[in-house]
Amino acid sequence: MPRSKEGYVLTPWEVSGDIDYDDLVDRFGTSRIDNDLKKRIEKLAGDVHFMLRRNIFYSHRDMKWILDEYEKGNKFALYTGRGPSGHTHVGHLMPWIFAKWVQDKFGVDLYFQLTDDEKYLFNFDLEMEDTHSYALENALDIIALGFDPAKTHIFIDTDYIHTLYPLALKVAKRVNFSTVKAVFGFDNSTNVGSIFYTSMQSAPCFLPSDREGKKVPVVIPCGIDQDAHFRVTRDVAETIGYYKPALLHNKLAPSLDGTGKMSASIPKTTIFTTDSPEDVEKKVSESFTGGRISAQEQREKGGEPDICAVQNYRYYLFEPDDAKVRSIADRCRSGDLLCGECKGMLKENIKSFLKDHQERREKARSSLEDFLLKD
Ligand code: TRP
């Protein structure tokens, strides 16, 4: 299991401590998204998404090959997913927002997996009805982002198992217990469903090829914590007659208390897409900042935007304009901007985002069937 000297832990199921993203690139053997790759993407897309510009998407596998193929007229498909263990929080939206941008710019299909099976298997306190109903709720958040229904295919594992199972079996036959033990830290007490699970998350990598009747390159935008699954997938892909999936990895969204990753299990420091304006007020008010003990001290010494959760939220999600982010940081450092006013600005950003999102989310209930793949 990736447990570094620095003491952080990052697996698909556990993230804690101060994640060293550079270290992960070295340990996982991925590649950094360098300026050349960014420029190539920018040239083909016509612009560059702020998450690329800011190195929030910062690591990849095989993207150069994907762009070579695209330039030859061989389109890729996008694949990403979500484990429905609860309501969606705004950190989950990051790779989805980015996937939407890629879909719009490159005109490609998106396959979206909702792994109700995974969350049932890995959480003893969740029943199958729970994970299935969260899957439907999470699907509303995906649709609310404005994906094109003609090009977007969402599926819940247990409702699409007839199609997924043969693909999962092809993977499962070639992955042995010692591999998943080493990659995920499983042991003899791990339930057998969990041991099988990576085969299920691998299956959609091959779904576009089966549906189109030819080998289709696949790009997976996802949090770097998911890379472990796809290392396993990539090892078997070619032996079963498909391309290896390519990946675009994002850093994980920070929590509001300034420690590590936004986590659904700590609701106080996490903004959910279903939160009310009052929830947002309270959570942002109580969040960790780079402010000083007193207003007077802050006016004299200035604040520390680099360690501030409020500024981080802005940077990762809620303020795409670099100039605005910079000017807020400058005002903070100079002592001109105090935390109250600064939090107020973020609250307005989040509340207006959630107001629109929640409206679109309710409307999505009537268009769910246009998106869902079922057997
Ligand atoms: N395992 C992921 C989670 O817990 C869900 C998932 C399934 C996923 N397929 C994916 C995430 C593909 C990223 C890309 O959230």
Side-chain angles (χ1 to χ4, degrees), residues 12-13 79-84 92 113-115 118-119 197 201 204 220-223 225-226 229-230:
W13 301 287
Y79 158 43
T80 192
R82 151 94 182 132
H92 297 131
Q113 179 179 38
L114 288 161
T115 55
E118 174 190 14
K119 293 301 149 175
Y197 170 71
Q201 186 156 330
I220 311 173
C222 64
D225 57 313
Q226 297 296 313
H229 289 297
F230 299 118

Side-chain angles (χ1 to χ4, degrees), residues 119-144:
K119 293 301 149 175
Y120 173 66
L121 287 166
F122 284 88
N123 294 282
F124 269 94
D125 47 348
L126 289 174
E127 295 304 327
M128 248 187 275
E129 299 74 47
D130 302 327
T131 58
H132 190 269
S133 72
Y134 279 132
L136 289 169
E137 286 294 311
N138 295 169
L140 302 176
D141 289 302
I142 303 161
I143 297 169

Side-chain angles (χ1 to χ4, degrees), residues 142-181:
I142 303 161
I143 297 169
L145 295 178
F147 285 102
D148 176 354
K151 287 189 151 63
T152 306
H153 319 285
I154 304 173
F155 49 94
I156 301 174
D157 281 351
T158 60
D159 290 340
Y160 199 47
I161 194 62
H162 187 75
T163 302
L164 295 174
Y165 194 50
L167 288 170
L169 281 179
K170 285 190 188 175
V171 177
K173 190 170 182 174
R174 287 157 184 94
V175 178
N176 57 35
F177 186 29
S178 67
T179 299
V180 289
K181 263 186 180 168

Side-chain angles (χ1 to χ4, degrees), residues 176-192:
N176 57 35
F177 186 29
S178 67
T179 299
V180 289
K181 263 186 180 168
V183 174
F184 301 111
F186 292 160
D187 60 30
N188 285 349
S189 71
T190 307
N191 70 56
V192 294

Side-chain angles (χ1 to χ4, degrees), residues 20-258:
D20 182 340
Y21 287 103
D22 285 324
D23 182 49
L24 284 176
V25 167
D26 298 338
R27 272 194 302 136
F28 289 178
T30 66
S31 306
R32 283 186 181 73
I33 299 180
D34 58 17
N35 280 337
D36 283 352
L37 183 58
K38 266 192 233 177
K39 282 208 189 99
R40 257 187 100 184
I41 296 174
E42 180 170 6
K43 211 171 130 217
L44 292 167
D47 68 44
V48 56
H49 195 272
F50 79 87
M51 290 182 195
L52 265 181
R53 202 169 57 227
R54 294 178 187 170
N55 294 325
I56 294 169
F57 273 87
Y58 83 111
S59 153
H60 77 101
R61 292 185 188 273
D62 277 345
M63 279 308 292
K64 290 185 181 149
W65 166 72
I66 289 286
L67 297 182
D68 291 344
E69 289 298 309
Y70 184 80
E71 283 172 342
K72 286 188 237 159
N74 192 11
K75 268 196 187 177
F76 57 90
L78 287 163
Y79 158 43
T80 192
R82 151 94 182 132
S85 52
H87 277 301
T88 306
H89 64 57
V90 293
H92 297 131
L93 301 181
M94 273 174 23
W96 312 353
I97 290 171
F98 188 72
K100 160 99 170 56
W101 179 79
V102 178
Q103 176 176 80
D104 291 347
K105 298 294 173 183
F106 291 82
V108 293
D109 278 30
L110 166 69
Y111 287 84
F112 201 112
Q113 179 179 38
L114 288 161
T115 55
D116 60 335
D117 52 347
E118 174 190 14
K119 293 301 149 175
Y120 173 66
L121 287 166
F122 284 88
N123 294 282
F124 269 94
D125 47 348
L126 289 174
E127 295 304 327
M128 248 187 275
E129 299 74 47
D130 302 327
T131 58
H132 190 269
S133 72
Y134 279 132
L136 289 169
E137 286 294 311
N138 295 169
L140 302 176
D141 289 302
I142 303 161
I143 297 169
L145 295 178
F147 285 102
D148 176 354
K151 287 189 151 63
T152 306
H153 319 285
I154 304 173
F155 49 94
I156 301 174
D157 281 351
T158 60
D159 290 340
Y160 199 47
I161 194 62
H162 187 75
T163 302
L164 295 174
Y165 194 50
L167 288 170
L169 281 179
K170 285 190 188 175
V171 177
K173 190 170 182 174
R174 287 157 184 94
V175 178
N176 57 35
F177 186 29
S178 67
T179 299
V180 289
K181 263 186 180 168
V183 174
F184 301 111
F186 292 160
D187 60 30
N188 285 349
S189 71
T190 307
N191 70 56
V192 294
S194 302
I195 296 163
F196 177 77
Y197 170 71
T198 291
S199 319
M200 286 301 298
Q201 186 156 330
S202 302
C205 299
F206 313 125
L207 190 58
S209 299
D210 275 15
R211 281 170 51 100
E212 293 183 35
K214 60 169 194 208
K215 283 211 256 181
V216 178
V218 164
V219 176
I220 311 173
C222 64
I224 187 134
D225 57 313
Q226 297 296 313
D227 186 71
H229 289 297
F230 299 118
R231 292 201 288 279
V232 175
T233 319
R234 284 168 55 86
D235 276 349
V236 304
E238 284 169 340
T239 45
I240 60 174
Y242 300 100
Y243 291 131
K244 291 181 181 187
L247 289 121
L248 281 166
H249 303 110
N250 65 273
K251 298 175 185 168
L252 308 175
S255 69
L256 280 174
D257 63 359

Side-chain angles (χ1 to χ4, degrees), residues 280-324:
V280 174
E281 284 283 337
K282 191 162 186 317
K283 290 178 186 182
V284 176
S285 293
E286 290 172 5
S287 63
F288 175 82
T289 72
R292 305 284 175 184
I293 301 170
S294 68
Q296 192 196 352
E297 191 179 326
Q298 189 155 342
R299 292 235 182 265
E300 282 162 17
K301 292 188 182 160
E304 296 179 280
D306 300 332
I307 59 160
C308 176
V310 173
Q311 181 72 348
N312 257 332
Y313 249 54
R314 208 170 261 133
Y315 186 82
Y316 274 79
L317 269 156
F318 290 106
E319 186 46 78
D321 182 341
D322 287 352
K324 273 196 193 153

